Amino acid sequence: GDPKAPLSANRPGPSAGLVLELFADPYEGVGGELSTSSGVRMSLHEPGVKPFPDEDGFSLSTGFSTSIGVRQLEVQRLGSPYSNCTGQDANWQSLYPGYSYSRTACLQSCLAQSMFDTCGCVETFLVGKPICLNAKVNKVQADCVARVRESYRLDNLNCDSCYNPCIDRLYQSTLSLSAWPAFDYQYHFTQKLNAQNISARVNAPEVFREYFIRAEIYFEELNYQQIIQRPSYPVENLLADIGGQIGLWAGLSVLGFLELFDFVGQFF
């Protein structure tokens, strides 16, 4: 089937969720100054949105089974004149074609473009743009990247046009961990690895937990929370209140005039 076709769940709970068993070889990572820990980063996001695990993800550690309960939150923001939120058809300078708008993607595009304009390279892989080298290979580039990153941290890159989307779907997660694989399960797990030529690279059962990660991803409930912004005092309420006050005072004025006419008439 289509590898991009979304999977569906017909009930909540771990038994109806997605289970991932990942081989994370600690000796094939980038290592050195670029990575200080072993494991993987995971990001939960709306389909069609560019993921940025470093910015909005969480870490999965080797040797553990991580249970990830997911709840969906939808935020509907008011547009102008109440806020500067933007729709999915926003005119923004995206360096990630084919993805829907998100504030993180807009900010990362702004950062990458500023880095390319200043340093002549980018940190992440982008078509048609060279990758920045580390300090051991090109110290000038590395220092330039550090300066641009510091300007980005201080909000000095003129990325003010990256607004929140008017409709934002977020995935909140609850994580719990347990040691994995269990000692009694290692034999059965080895049999599964034999078919994939992975067990030969892990020749000692006692080091299994240095290489493997398990993740259970499931919905805690098959519903979602919705936050909708509404004006606290809309214009139509203001007009209605003004009309009511005018009617009240106009009515009192007519009654007062009739009472004055009646009072004067008593003397004649």
Side-chain angles (χ1 to χ4, degrees):
D2 183 4
K4 295 183 179 180
L7 302 177
S8 60
N10 54 12
R11 65 181 187 276
S15 62
L18 174 67
V19 177
L20 300 176
E21 293 179 352
L22 307 175
F23 177 67
D25 192 339
Y27 301 103
E28 290 188 355
V30 292
E33 299 177 355
L34 299 180
S35 178
T36 59
S37 60
S38 62
V40 299
R41 294 279 295 178
M42 178 177 288
S43 176
L44 302 176
H45 58 89
E46 185 75 3
V49 174
K50 173 69 176 177
F52 293 95
D54 288 343
E55 297 294 329
D56 53 16
F58 50 86
S59 297
L60 300 179
S61 176
T62 55
F64 289 92
S65 176
T66 305
S67 180
I68 307 167
V70 180
R71 288 166 285 117
Q72 189 185 60
L73 171 66
E74 181 180 279
V75 180
Q76 296 185 16
R77 300 180 177 90
L78 288 172
S80 179
Y82 302 98
S83 73
N84 293 321
C85 72
T86 183
Q88 292 298 326
D89 57 348
N91 184 17
W92 60 297
Q93 187 179 14
S94 173
L95 298 182
Y96 307 98
Y99 291 98
S100 302
Y101 175 85
S102 69
R103 186 169 186 269
T104 303
C106 182
L107 290 171
Q108 290 298 313
S109 294
C110 178
L111 171 61
Q113 188 62 52
S114 298
M115 190 173 295
F116 178 75
D117 294 340
T118 306
C119 308
C121 60
V122 293
E123 283 188 303
T124 56
F125 176 75
L126 294 172
V127 177
K129 299 185 184 299
I131 301 293
C132 296
L133 304 175
N134 59 35
K136 294 182 179 179
V137 180
N138 192 325
K139 189 174 185 307
V140 175
Q141 271 190 358
D143 291 342
C144 180
V145 168
R147 289 194 300 271
V148 174
R149 278 236 166 242
E150 181 64 13
S151 297
Y152 176 74
R153 186 184 69 83
L154 297 175
D155 199 17
N156 293 331
L157 289 186
N158 194 24
C159 300
D160 299 335
S161 59
C162 292
Y163 304 118
N164 286 317
C166 293
I167 299 179
D168 203 1
R169 294 181 179 88
L170 310 172
Y171 292 89
Q172 301 175 320
S173 57
T174 303
L175 277 65
S176 60
L177 296 91
S178 61
W180 183 86
F183 180 79
D184 294 338
Y185 178 68
Q186 288 183 2
Y187 173 77
H188 302 283
F189 188 57
T190 303
Q191 302 304 312
K192 294 172 60 176
L193 299 178
N194 286 335
Q196 304 178 39
N197 296 324
I198 296 178
S199 60
R201 303 174 65 180
V202 188
N203 52 20
E206 60 270 16
V207 299
F208 268 14
R209 291 180 179 174
E210 298 181 11
Y211 287 82
F212 296 99
I213 299 171
R214 186 176 187 271
E216 292 181 335
I217 310 167
Y218 60 92
F219 285 106
E220 293 182 343
E221 295 290 343
L222 291 185
N223 52 36
Y224 66 95
Q225 181 182 3
Q226 192 176 51
I227 299 176
I228 302 177
Q229 292 183 347
R230 300 188 187 279
S232 60
Y233 194 59
V235 176
E236 53 269 23
N237 287 4
L238 174 62
L239 296 177
D241 289 343
I242 292 174
Q245 292 295 324
I246 292 175
L248 174 63
W249 291 107
L252 291 176
S253 299
V254 172
L255 291 175
F257 177 77
L258 293 177
E259 290 180 356
L260 178 62
F261 183 78
D262 180 64
F263 177 74
V264 173
Q266 294 177 3
F267 296 95
F268 297 97

